[in-house]
Amino acid sequence: MTPDARILDGKAIAGAVRSDVAGEVGELSTTIGRAPALATVLVGDDPASEVYVSNKHRACEEVGIESVHRAVPGTVGQSELEEIVRDLNGEDEVDGILVQLPLPDGLDAGPVIASIDPMKDVDGLTAENQGRLASGSPWLVPCTPAGVIEILDRSDIPIEGKEVVVIGRSNLVGRPLISLFLDRNATVTACHSRTVDLPGVCRRADILVAAVGVPGLVGADFVKEGATVIDVGINRTDDGLVGDVEFEQVAEVAGAITPVPGGVGPMTIAMLLANTVKAAGSRR
Ligand code: NAP
């Protein structure tokens, strides 16, 4: 059956963001006399993390951002790893620092993230950047939530005054999104695993965002007719990659919907590139 909903094509929107970023990189390179640079820190040899990091390097190259890579053995000590990050803080020609997560067992990500200079924190995960966002003066914002807002903006879906329901309250996705929607004058409801009558709460939403990690959690009974549904979930199942939303069912009720794959996923790297340019621009 053909879905009734408008499909929000994250891949195309991410392409538009990347092409804007490429333009900004060109201008900035002239102003600062070098290409902006993103440092990646990869600890250990987890194959999935290696793929994520090499995708980031390729994306950087495509828009003219320089990559500086630190491949660190999984046997590294906690304080040695934090020292590697602090060294990158001190490198003048590094504009952004990304520590690929999760870290191998035995290493604590919290203090490693806390070692990143907030001005170079292109993942927006330091307490300073999270606090700035939560208090209404965002600087570098986590990439996936920023990508959700970008999809809505570039699809001309208004946010101000709308009822927004976000399912999920992680530091990586849910919480930053809640702050971003509040900043845009939406009326925001935060749902989580203890929410009573989740479908009923979600049916209030003009914009419903699922950032949970439970395949197919959001069915048609969660969705008000004509609502916009953004599926952040990425779940590997026997049927391949699926989101948190029952796409086929929900697409018959929703007004607009992001697919998985090809929705929010491609936006994350695009917003990382945008954050790197933002960080570089602030250091000129
Ligand atoms: P997370 O840290 O595990 O957080 C999941 C959130 O969902 C928690 O707040 C949890 O509630 C809530 N939750 C779990 N089960 C629930 C249920 N049955 N009903 C209602 N709420 C429930 O996950 P995350 O890092 O935010 O990631 C969420 C999803 O997004 C995952 O599928 C992840 O792979 C995906 N993701 C995608 C991208 C991308 O680039 N597209 C980036 C990051 C993450 P409690 O707080 O009560 O435990």
Side-chain angles (χ1 to χ4, degrees):
M1 191 182 303
T2 333
D4 294 320
R6 169 182 169 203
I7 308 298
L8 304 175
D9 182 348
K11 212 170 157 193
I13 297 170
V17 171
R18 286 176 190 228
S19 118
D20 289 354
V21 169
E24 289 167 31
V25 167
E27 283 171 31
L28 195 58
S29 303
T30 314
T31 325
I32 64 179
R34 60 170 176 84
L38 172 67
T40 48
V41 180
L42 175 63
V43 187
D45 51 10
D46 174 60
S49 293
E50 281 172 358
V51 170
Y52 292 140
V53 169
S54 73
N55 286 346
K56 287 166 189 171
H57 290 166
R58 197 169 50 240
C60 281
E61 193 182 340
E62 278 167 18
V63 297
I65 293 175
E66 200 76 40
S67 290
V68 174
H69 186 55
R70 297 281 182 271
V72 181
T75 51
V76 70
Q78 179 78 32
S79 52
E80 201 186 335
L81 178 57
E82 291 165 27
E83 198 51 43
I84 290 169
V85 171
R86 277 192 290 272
D87 284 348
L88 289 168
N89 289 340
E91 282 193 25
D92 255 3
E93 302 213 336
V94 166
D95 301 296
I97 301 171
L98 177 146
V99 178
Q100 185 65 39
L101 301 176
L103 295 176
D105 287 348
L107 291 166
D108 185 355
V112 177
I113 289 166
S115 328
I116 301 172
D117 177 349
M119 297 302 285
K120 296 187 177 187
D121 168 30
V122 285
D123 260 345
L125 295 178
T126 57
E128 173 155 342
N129 278 315
Q130 297 242 324
R132 288 189 65 147
L133 176 58
S135 60
S137 52
W139 166 234
L140 293 167
V141 172
C143 303
T144 302
V148 169
I149 301 293
E150 198 72 25
I151 287 180
L152 295 169
D153 284 346
R154 290 190 185 238
S155 305
D156 295 319
I157 294 171
I159 297 173
E160 180 158 326
K162 299 298 177 190
E163 285 271 359
V164 174
V165 175
V166 178
I167 322 175
R169 54 176 167 179
S170 68
N171 285 337
L172 191 63
V173 190
R175 277 172 206 265
L177 254 181
I178 290 158
S179 300
L180 287 169
F181 278 121
L182 265 183
D183 275 354
R184 296 291 296 272
N185 300 316
T187 302
V188 189
T189 304
C191 294
H192 44 76
S193 64
R194 316 291 169 85
T195 299
V196 174
D197 186 20
L198 186 62
V201 176
C202 291
R203 273 197 304 275
R204 298 210 296 255
D206 300 309
I207 299 171
L208 174 62
V209 184
V212 184
V214 175
L217 174 75
V218 174
D221 58 326
F222 281 55
V223 180
K224 179 168 79 176
E225 180 105 33
T228 297
V229 179
I230 306 287
D231 191 353
V232 181
I234 297 182
N235 308 294
R236 279 166 222 289
T237 70
D238 293 343
D239 299 332
L241 215 58
V242 300
D244 292 339
V245 175
E246 281 287 354
F247 182 84
E248 303 288 337
Q249 284 181 22
V250 170
E252 286 175 31
V253 184
I257 186 167
T258 57
V260 176
V264 176
M267 295 302 293
T268 301
I269 290 188
M271 301 315 290
L272 172 69
L273 303 175
N275 270 353
T276 303
V277 169
K278 187 172 180 180
S282 73
R283 300 179 64 246
R284 56 173 118 155

